[in-house]
Amino acid sequence: MRRLSRRLTKMYEQELSAAGMNAAQYELMSHLKARPGSSQGSLAVSVDIDQTTLSRNLKLLMEQGRVVSDVSKADARRVEYRLSSQGVRDLKAAVPCWKRAMVRVERELPHPESVWQSLEALGEAVS
């Protein structure tokens, strides 16, 4: 499973490199597009990564101008994250790359539907 995961990640990252991002950045930005104003805690849960990795990824995306943070209006102790206008443009430009990666995975992996089913089952088993 680890080897398969690395192979899948490599395929996605090869395609996403044309948009100047990696798979983790694409996934995080997609979550922020769908859930603007998310806290770091809710992002960690929805993306299923640890806080340290998430902090590092958010910091990089903020340095790139793709993500901005604001203090919550409801709770001044909470920081909320959203895509910047640059982040929205970059994510939009990356969508065709992501789609090409999906087509490539379907084409290059033997029995891709069983791969997705296995990954789904594994995800449910370790949740």
Side-chain angles (χ1 to χ4, degrees), residues 27-50:
E27 181 181 23
L28 182 53
M29 290 173 67
S30 294
H31 279 270
L32 284 171
K33 180 182 180 219
R35 297 169 195 84
S38 294
S39 69
Q40 189 166 335
S42 66
L43 280 171
V45 170
S46 66
V47 181
D48 195 21
I49 59 174
D50 63 86

mmCIF file with all atom_site columns, all heavy atoms in Angstrom, residues 27-50:
data_model
loop_
_atom_site.group_PDB
_atom_site.id
_atom_site.type_symbol
_atom_site.label_atom_id
_atom_site.label_alt_id
_atom_site.label_comp_id
_atom_site.label_asym_id
_atom_site.label_entity_id
_atom_site.label_seq_id
_atom_site.pdbx_PDB_ins_code
_atom_site.Cartn_x
_atom_site.Cartn_y
_atom_site.Cartn_z
_atom_site.occupancy
_atom_site.B_iso_or_equiv
_atom_site.pdbx_formal_charge
_atom_site.auth_seq_id
_atom_site.auth_comp_id
_atom_site.auth_asym_id
_atom_site.auth_atom_id
_atom_site.pdbx_PDB_model_num
ATOM 1   N N   . GLU A 1 27 ? -4.521  19.666 -2.436 1.00 0.00 ? 27 GLU A N   1
ATOM 2   C CA  . GLU A 1 27 ? -5.578  19.155 -1.557 1.00 0.00 ? 27 GLU A CA  1
ATOM 3   C C   . GLU A 1 27 ? -5.971  20.185 -0.505 1.00 0.00 ? 27 GLU A C   1
ATOM 4   O O   . GLU A 1 27 ? -7.159  20.434 -0.274 1.00 0.00 ? 27 GLU A O   1
ATOM 5   C CB  . GLU A 1 27 ? -5.126  17.853 -0.884 1.00 0.00 ? 27 GLU A CB  1
ATOM 6   C CG  . GLU A 1 27 ? -6.185  17.261 0.014  1.00 0.00 ? 27 GLU A CG  1
ATOM 7   C CD  . GLU A 1 27 ? -5.729  15.984 0.700  1.00 0.00 ? 27 GLU A CD  1
ATOM 8   O OE1 . GLU A 1 27 ? -4.523  15.768 0.856  1.00 0.00 ? 27 GLU A OE1 1
ATOM 9   O OE2 . GLU A 1 27 ? -6.619  15.223 1.104  1.00 0.00 ? 27 GLU A OE2 1
ATOM 10  N N   . LEU A 1 28 ? -4.985  20.802 0.115  1.00 0.00 ? 28 LEU A N   1
ATOM 11  C CA  . LEU A 1 28 ? -5.262  21.798 1.151  1.00 0.00 ? 28 LEU A CA  1
ATOM 12  C C   . LEU A 1 28 ? -5.987  23.003 0.559  1.00 0.00 ? 28 LEU A C   1
ATOM 13  O O   . LEU A 1 28 ? -6.968  23.495 1.128  1.00 0.00 ? 28 LEU A O   1
ATOM 14  C CB  . LEU A 1 28 ? -3.954  22.211 1.831  1.00 0.00 ? 28 LEU A CB  1
ATOM 15  C CG  . LEU A 1 28 ? -4.048  23.205 2.976  1.00 0.00 ? 28 LEU A CG  1
ATOM 16  C CD1 . LEU A 1 28 ? -5.039  22.754 4.038  1.00 0.00 ? 28 LEU A CD1 1
ATOM 17  C CD2 . LEU A 1 28 ? -2.658  23.406 3.584  1.00 0.00 ? 28 LEU A CD2 1
ATOM 18  N N   . MET A 1 29 ? -5.537  23.452 -0.586 1.00 0.00 ? 29 MET A N   1
ATOM 19  C CA  . MET A 1 29 ? -6.195  24.588 -1.231 1.00 0.00 ? 29 MET A CA  1
ATOM 20  C C   . MET A 1 29 ? -7.623  24.245 -1.651 1.00 0.00 ? 29 MET A C   1
ATOM 21  O O   . MET A 1 29 ? -8.529  25.079 -1.541 1.00 0.00 ? 29 MET A O   1
ATOM 22  C CB  . MET A 1 29 ? -5.358  25.066 -2.417 1.00 0.00 ? 29 MET A CB  1
ATOM 23  C CG  . MET A 1 29 ? -4.057  25.731 -1.981 1.00 0.00 ? 29 MET A CG  1
ATOM 24  S SD  . MET A 1 29 ? -2.948  26.115 -3.353 1.00 0.00 ? 29 MET A SD  1
ATOM 25  C CE  . MET A 1 29 ? -3.881  27.387 -4.208 1.00 0.00 ? 29 MET A CE  1
ATOM 26  N N   . SER A 1 30 ? -7.848  23.023 -2.090 1.00 0.00 ? 30 SER A N   1
ATOM 27  C CA  . SER A 1 30 ? -9.202  22.589 -2.454 1.00 0.00 ? 30 SER A CA  1
ATOM 28  C C   . SER A 1 30 ? -10.126 22.611 -1.241 1.00 0.00 ? 30 SER A C   1
ATOM 29  O O   . SER A 1 30 ? -11.284 23.028 -1.334 1.00 0.00 ? 30 SER A O   1
ATOM 30  C CB  . SER A 1 30 ? -9.172  21.181 -3.060 1.00 0.00 ? 30 SER A CB  1
ATOM 31  O OG  . SER A 1 30 ? -8.489  21.194 -4.284 1.00 0.00 ? 30 SER A OG  1
ATOM 32  N N   . HIS A 1 31 ? -9.595  22.163 -0.108 1.00 0.00 ? 31 HIS A N   1
ATOM 33  C CA  . HIS A 1 31 ? -10.390 22.197 1.130  1.00 0.00 ? 31 HIS A CA  1
ATOM 34  C C   . HIS A 1 31 ? -10.707 23.632 1.529  1.00 0.00 ? 31 HIS A C   1
ATOM 35  O O   . HIS A 1 31 ? -11.824 23.926 1.961  1.00 0.00 ? 31 HIS A O   1
ATOM 36  C CB  . HIS A 1 31 ? -9.663  21.469 2.255  1.00 0.00 ? 31 HIS A CB  1
ATOM 37  C CG  . HIS A 1 31 ? -9.827  19.991 2.207  1.00 0.00 ? 31 HIS A CG  1
ATOM 38  N ND1 . HIS A 1 31 ? -10.840 19.322 2.846  1.00 0.00 ? 31 HIS A ND1 1
ATOM 39  C CD2 . HIS A 1 31 ? -9.112  19.042 1.570  1.00 0.00 ? 31 HIS A CD2 1
ATOM 40  C CE1 . HIS A 1 31 ? -10.749 18.034 2.614  1.00 0.00 ? 31 HIS A CE1 1
ATOM 41  N NE2 . HIS A 1 31 ? -9.702  17.829 1.837  1.00 0.00 ? 31 HIS A NE2 1
ATOM 42  N N   . LEU A 1 32 ? -9.728  24.523 1.391  1.00 0.00 ? 32 LEU A N   1
ATOM 43  C CA  . LEU A 1 32 ? -9.968  25.924 1.745  1.00 0.00 ? 32 LEU A CA  1
ATOM 44  C C   . LEU A 1 32 ? -10.963 26.587 0.798  1.00 0.00 ? 32 LEU A C   1
ATOM 45  O O   . LEU A 1 32 ? -11.737 27.449 1.215  1.00 0.00 ? 32 LEU A O   1
ATOM 46  C CB  . LEU A 1 32 ? -8.657  26.706 1.758  1.00 0.00 ? 32 LEU A CB  1
ATOM 47  C CG  . LEU A 1 32 ? -7.776  26.442 2.972  1.00 0.00 ? 32 LEU A CG  1
ATOM 48  C CD1 . LEU A 1 32 ? -6.412  27.083 2.799  1.00 0.00 ? 32 LEU A CD1 1
ATOM 49  C CD2 . LEU A 1 32 ? -8.453  26.941 4.243  1.00 0.00 ? 32 LEU A CD2 1
ATOM 50  N N   . LYS A 1 33 ? -10.944 26.181 -0.449 1.00 0.00 ? 33 LYS A N   1
ATOM 51  C CA  . LYS A 1 33 ? -11.931 26.720 -1.394 1.00 0.00 ? 33 LYS A CA  1
ATOM 52  C C   . LYS A 1 33 ? -13.335 26.293 -0.976 1.00 0.00 ? 33 LYS A C   1
ATOM 53  O O   . LYS A 1 33 ? -14.276 27.087 -1.003 1.00 0.00 ? 33 LYS A O   1
ATOM 54  C CB  . LYS A 1 33 ? -11.646 26.242 -2.816 1.00 0.00 ? 33 LYS A CB  1
ATOM 55  C CG  . LYS A 1 33 ? -12.649 26.793 -3.812 1.00 0.00 ? 33 LYS A CG  1
ATOM 56  C CD  . LYS A 1 33 ? -12.395 26.294 -5.208 1.00 0.00 ? 33 LYS A CD  1
ATOM 57  C CE  . LYS A 1 33 ? -13.446 26.894 -6.128 1.00 0.00 ? 33 LYS A CE  1
ATOM 58  N NZ  . LYS A 1 33 ? -13.903 25.967 -7.116 1.00 0.00 ? 33 LYS A NZ  1
ATOM 59  N N   . ALA A 1 34 ? -13.469 25.035 -0.593 1.00 0.00 ? 34 ALA A N   1
ATOM 60  C CA  . ALA A 1 34 ? -14.778 24.500 -0.203 1.00 0.00 ? 34 ALA A CA  1
ATOM 61  C C   . ALA A 1 34 ? -15.214 24.990 1.176  1.00 0.00 ? 34 ALA A C   1
ATOM 62  O O   . ALA A 1 34 ? -16.410 25.094 1.439  1.00 0.00 ? 34 ALA A O   1
ATOM 63  C CB  . ALA A 1 34 ? -14.745 22.975 -0.223 1.00 0.00 ? 34 ALA A CB  1
ATOM 64  N N   . ARG A 1 35 ? -14.237 25.293 2.045  1.00 0.00 ? 35 ARG A N   1
ATOM 65  C CA  . ARG A 1 35 ? -14.543 25.685 3.427  1.00 0.00 ? 35 ARG A CA  1
ATOM 66  C C   . ARG A 1 35 ? -13.746 26.928 3.833  1.00 0.00 ? 35 ARG A C   1
ATOM 67  O O   . ARG A 1 35 ? -12.892 26.853 4.715  1.00 0.00 ? 35 ARG A O   1
ATOM 68  C CB  . ARG A 1 35 ? -14.212 24.535 4.372  1.00 0.00 ? 35 ARG A CB  1
ATOM 69  C CG  . ARG A 1 35 ? -15.030 23.283 4.134  1.00 0.00 ? 35 ARG A CG  1
ATOM 70  C CD  . ARG A 1 35 ? -14.450 22.111 4.940  1.00 0.00 ? 35 ARG A CD  1
ATOM 71  N NE  . ARG A 1 35 ? -14.960 20.841 4.488  1.00 0.00 ? 35 ARG A NE  1
ATOM 72  C CZ  . ARG A 1 35 ? -14.471 20.140 3.461  1.00 0.00 ? 35 ARG A CZ  1
ATOM 73  N NH1 . ARG A 1 35 ? -13.434 20.576 2.785  1.00 0.00 ? 35 ARG A NH1 1
ATOM 74  N NH2 . ARG A 1 35 ? -15.000 18.988 3.118  1.00 0.00 ? 35 ARG A NH2 1
ATOM 75  N N   . PRO A 1 36 ? -14.000 28.063 3.190  1.00 0.00 ? 36 PRO A N   1
ATOM 76  C CA  . PRO A 1 36 ? -13.253 29.262 3.585  1.00 0.00 ? 36 PRO A CA  1
ATOM 77  C C   . PRO A 1 36 ? -13.546 29.613 5.042  1.00 0.00 ? 36 PRO A C   1
ATOM 78  O O   . PRO A 1 36 ? -14.646 29.373 5.529  1.00 0.00 ? 36 PRO A O   1
ATOM 79  C CB  . PRO A 1 36 ? -13.777 30.341 2.635  1.00 0.00 ? 36 PRO A CB  1
ATOM 80  C CG  . PRO A 1 36 ? -15.067 29.837 2.102  1.00 0.00 ? 36 PRO A CG  1
ATOM 81  C CD  . PRO A 1 36 ? -15.004 28.341 2.172  1.00 0.00 ? 36 PRO A CD  1
ATOM 82  N N   . GLY A 1 37 ? -12.552 30.123 5.718  1.00 0.00 ? 37 GLY A N   1
ATOM 83  C CA  . GLY A 1 37 ? -12.727 30.463 7.122  1.00 0.00 ? 37 GLY A CA  1
ATOM 84  C C   . GLY A 1 37 ? -12.507 29.288 8.056  1.00 0.00 ? 37 GLY A C   1
ATOM 85  O O   . GLY A 1 37 ? -12.878 29.338 9.224  1.00 0.00 ? 37 GLY A O   1
ATOM 86  N N   . SER A 1 38 ? -11.884 28.234 7.562  1.00 0.00 ? 38 SER A N   1
ATOM 87  C CA  . SER A 1 38 ? -11.613 27.060 8.396  1.00 0.00 ? 38 SER A CA  1
ATOM 88  C C   . SER A 1 38 ? -10.491 27.358 9.382  1.00 0.00 ? 38 SER A C   1
ATOM 89  O O   . SER A 1 38 ? -9.545  28.079 9.070  1.00 0.00 ? 38 SER A O   1
ATOM 90  C CB  . SER A 1 38 ? -11.192 25.865 7.539  1.00 0.00 ? 38 SER A CB  1
ATOM 91  O OG  . SER A 1 38 ? -12.248 25.427 6.726  1.00 0.00 ? 38 SER A OG  1
ATOM 92  N N   . SER A 1 39 ? -10.607 26.769 10.545 1.00 0.00 ? 39 SER A N   1
ATOM 93  C CA  . SER A 1 39 ? -9.529  26.861 11.531 1.00 0.00 ? 39 SER A CA  1
ATOM 94  C C   . SER A 1 39 ? -8.486  25.795 11.216 1.00 0.00 ? 39 SER A C   1
ATOM 95  O O   . SER A 1 39 ? -8.742  24.861 10.456 1.00 0.00 ? 39 SER A O   1
ATOM 96  C CB  . SER A 1 39 ? -10.078 26.624 12.937 1.00 0.00 ? 39 SER A CB  1
ATOM 97  O OG  . SER A 1 39 ? -10.485 25.267 13.085 1.00 0.00 ? 39 SER A OG  1
ATOM 98  N N   . GLN A 1 40 ? -7.337  25.926 11.850 1.00 0.00 ? 40 GLN A N   1
ATOM 99  C CA  . GLN A 1 40 ? -6.289  24.927 11.630 1.00 0.00 ? 40 GLN A CA  1
ATOM 100 C C   . GLN A 1 40 ? -6.745  23.551 12.117 1.00 0.00 ? 40 GLN A C   1
ATOM 101 O O   . GLN A 1 40 ? -6.495  22.546 11.465 1.00 0.00 ? 40 GLN A O   1
ATOM 102 C CB  . GLN A 1 40 ? -4.991  25.349 12.323 1.00 0.00 ? 40 GLN A CB  1
ATOM 103 C CG  . GLN A 1 40 ? -3.829  24.461 11.951 1.00 0.00 ? 40 GLN A CG  1
ATOM 104 C CD  . GLN A 1 40 ? -2.494  25.053 12.335 1.00 0.00 ? 40 GLN A CD  1
ATOM 105 O OE1 . GLN A 1 40 ? -2.356  26.262 12.459 1.00 0.00 ? 40 GLN A OE1 1
ATOM 106 N NE2 . GLN A 1 40 ? -1.510  24.198 12.522 1.00 0.00 ? 40 GLN A NE2 1
ATOM 107 N N   . GLY A 1 41 ? -7.439  23.518 13.219 1.00 0.00 ? 41 GLY A N   1
ATOM 108 C CA  . GLY A 1 41 ? -7.930  22.241 13.742 1.00 0.00 ? 41 GLY A CA  1
ATOM 109 C C   . GLY A 1 41 ? -8.903  21.556 12.802 1.00 0.00 ? 41 GLY A C   1
ATOM 110 O O   . GLY A 1 41 ? -8.798  20.355 12.554 1.00 0.00 ? 41 GLY A O   1
ATOM 111 N N   . SER A 1 42 ? -9.849  22.319 12.253 1.00 0.00 ? 42 SER A N   1
ATOM 112 C CA  . SER A 1 42 ? -10.822 21.702 11.347 1.00 0.00 ? 42 SER A CA  1
ATOM 113 C C   . SER A 1 42 ? -10.155 21.288 10.035 1.00 0.00 ? 42 SER A C   1
ATOM 114 O O   . SER A 1 42 ? -10.515 20.265 9.456  1.00 0.00 ? 42 SER A O   1
ATOM 115 C CB  . SER A 1 42 ? -12.005 22.636 11.088 1.00 0.00 ? 42 SER A CB  1
ATOM 116 O OG  . SER A 1 42 ? -11.607 23.787 10.390 1.00 0.00 ? 42 SER A OG  1
ATOM 117 N N   . LEU A 1 43 ? -9.163  22.063 9.597  1.00 0.00 ? 43 LEU A N   1
ATOM 118 C CA  . LEU A 1 43 ? -8.427  21.659 8.393  1.00 0.00 ? 43 LEU A CA  1
ATOM 119 C C   . LEU A 1 43 ? -7.654  20.366 8.621  1.00 0.00 ? 43 LEU A C   1
ATOM 120 O O   . LEU A 1 43 ? -7.630  19.498 7.758  1.00 0.00 ? 43 LEU A O   1
ATOM 121 C CB  . LEU A 1 43 ? -7.448  22.761 7.970  1.00 0.00 ? 43 LEU A CB  1
ATOM 122 C CG  . LEU A 1 43 ? -8.027  23.925 7.198  1.00 0.00 ? 43 LEU A CG  1
ATOM 123 C CD1 . LEU A 1 43 ? -6.985  25.024 7.059  1.00 0.00 ? 43 LEU A CD1 1
ATOM 124 C CD2 . LEU A 1 43 ? -8.528  23.477 5.847  1.00 0.00 ? 43 LEU A CD2 1
ATOM 125 N N   . ALA A 1 44 ? -7.019  20.252 9.780  1.00 0.00 ? 44 ALA A N   1
ATOM 126 C CA  . ALA A 1 44 ? -6.245  19.040 10.086 1.00 0.00 ? 44 ALA A CA  1
ATOM 127 C C   . ALA A 1 44 ? -7.138  17.813 10.026 1.00 0.00 ? 44 ALA A C   1
ATOM 128 O O   . ALA A 1 44 ? -6.742  16.770 9.498  1.00 0.00 ? 44 ALA A O   1
ATOM 129 C CB  . ALA A 1 44 ? -5.582  19.163 11.446 1.00 0.00 ? 44 ALA A CB  1
ATOM 130 N N   . VAL A 1 45 ? -8.349  17.940 10.531 1.00 0.00 ? 45 VAL A N   1
ATOM 131 C CA  . VAL A 1 45 ? -9.288  16.816 10.508 1.00 0.00 ? 45 VAL A CA  1
ATOM 132 C C   . VAL A 1 45 ? -9.749  16.530 9.081  1.00 0.00 ? 45 VAL A C   1
ATOM 133 O O   . VAL A 1 45 ? -9.726  15.385 8.637  1.00 0.00 ? 45 VAL A O   1
ATOM 134 C CB  . VAL A 1 45 ? -10.501 17.100 11.428 1.00 0.00 ? 45 VAL A CB  1
ATOM 135 C CG1 . VAL A 1 45 ? -11.597 16.069 11.231 1.00 0.00 ? 45 VAL A CG1 1
ATOM 136 C CG2 . VAL A 1 45 ? -10.058 17.147 12.880 1.00 0.00 ? 45 VAL A CG2 1
ATOM 137 N N   . SER A 1 46 ? -10.144 17.565 8.337  1.00 0.00 ? 46 SER A N   1
ATOM 138 C CA  . SER A 1 46 ? -10.699 17.332 7.003  1.00 0.00 ? 46 SER A CA  1
ATOM 139 C C   . SER A 1 46 ? -9.649  16.841 6.014  1.00 0.00 ? 46 SER A C   1
ATOM 140 O O   . SER A 1 46 ? -9.957  16.058 5.121  1.00 0.00 ? 46 SER A O   1
ATOM 141 C CB  . SER A 1 46 ? -11.401 18.579 6.466  1.00 0.00 ? 46 SER A CB  1
ATOM 142 O OG  . SER A 1 46 ? -10.491 19.625 6.244  1.00 0.00 ? 46 SER A OG  1
ATOM 143 N N   . VAL A 1 47 ? -8.386  17.274 6.164  1.00 0.00 ? 47 VAL A N   1
ATOM 144 C CA  . VAL A 1 47 ? -7.328  16.836 5.270  1.00 0.00 ? 47 VAL A CA  1
ATOM 145 C C   . VAL A 1 47 ? -6.650  15.581 5.816  1.00 0.00 ? 47 VAL A C   1
ATOM 146 O O   . VAL A 1 47 ? -5.926  14.900 5.109  1.00 0.00 ? 47 VAL A O   1
ATOM 147 C CB  . VAL A 1 47 ? -6.306  17.976 5.025  1.00 0.00 ? 47 VAL A CB  1
ATOM 148 C CG1 . VAL A 1 47 ? -5.205  17.570 4.070  1.00 0.00 ? 47 VAL A CG1 1
ATOM 149 C CG2 . VAL A 1 47 ? -7.004  19.206 4.491  1.00 0.00 ? 47 VAL A CG2 1
ATOM 150 N N   . ASP A 1 48 ? -6.905  15.281 7.088  1.00 0.00 ? 48 ASP A N   1
ATOM 151 C CA  . ASP A 1 48 ? -6.369  14.087 7.751  1.00 0.00 ? 48 ASP A CA  1
ATOM 152 C C   . ASP A 1 48 ? -4.838  14.101 7.821  1.00 0.00 ? 48 ASP A C   1
ATOM 153 O O   . ASP A 1 48 ? -4.174  13.151 7.407  1.00 0.00 ? 48 ASP A O   1
ATOM 154 C CB  . ASP A 1 48 ? -6.868  12.820 7.059  1.00 0.00 ? 48 ASP A CB  1
ATOM 155 C CG  . ASP A 1 48 ? -6.647  11.565 7.908  1.00 0.00 ? 48 ASP A CG  1
ATOM 156 O OD1 . ASP A 1 48 ? -6.497  11.702 9.140  1.00 0.00 ? 48 ASP A OD1 1
ATOM 157 O OD2 . ASP A 1 48 ? -6.613  10.464 7.333  1.00 0.00 ? 48 ASP A OD2 1
ATOM 158 N N   . ILE A 1 49 ? -4.306  15.228 8.329  1.00 0.00 ? 49 ILE A N   1
ATOM 159 C CA  . ILE A 1 49 ? -2.867  15.320 8.573  1.00 0.00 ? 49 ILE A CA  1
ATOM 160 C C   . ILE A 1 49 ? -2.631  15.896 9.964  1.00 0.00 ? 49 ILE A C   1
ATOM 161 O O   . ILE A 1 49 ? -3.527  16.508 10.548 1.00 0.00 ? 49 ILE A O   1
ATOM 162 C CB  . ILE A 1 49 ? -2.122  16.169 7.506  1.00 0.00 ? 49 ILE A CB  1
ATOM 163 C CG1 . ILE A 1 49 ? -2.660  17.588 7.433  1.00 0.00 ? 49 ILE A CG1 1
ATOM 164 C CG2 . ILE A 1 49 ? -2.170  15.498 6.152  1.00 0.00 ? 49 ILE A CG2 1
ATOM 165 C CD1 . ILE A 1 49 ? -1.867  18.491 6.497  1.00 0.00 ? 49 ILE A CD1 1
ATOM 166 N N   . ASP A 1 50 ? -1.430  15.703 10.466 1.00 0.00 ? 50 ASP A N   1
ATOM 167 C CA  . ASP A 1 50 ? -1.119  16.207 11.797 1.00 0.00 ? 50 ASP A CA  1
ATOM 168 C C   . ASP A 1 50 ? -0.909  17.720 11.761 1.00 0.00 ? 50 ASP A C   1
ATOM 169 O O   . ASP A 1 50 ? -0.642  18.311 10.720 1.00 0.00 ? 50 ASP A O   1
ATOM 170 C CB  . ASP A 1 50 ? 0.113   15.488 12.370 1.00 0.00 ? 50 ASP A CB  1
ATOM 171 C CG  . ASP A 1 50 ? 1.356   15.753 11.552 1.00 0.00 ? 50 ASP A CG  1
ATOM 172 O OD1 . ASP A 1 50 ? 2.016   16.779 11.820 1.00 0.00 ? 50 ASP A OD1 1
ATOM 173 O OD2 . ASP A 1 50 ? 1.660   14.952 10.652 1.00 0.00 ? 50 ASP A OD2 1
#
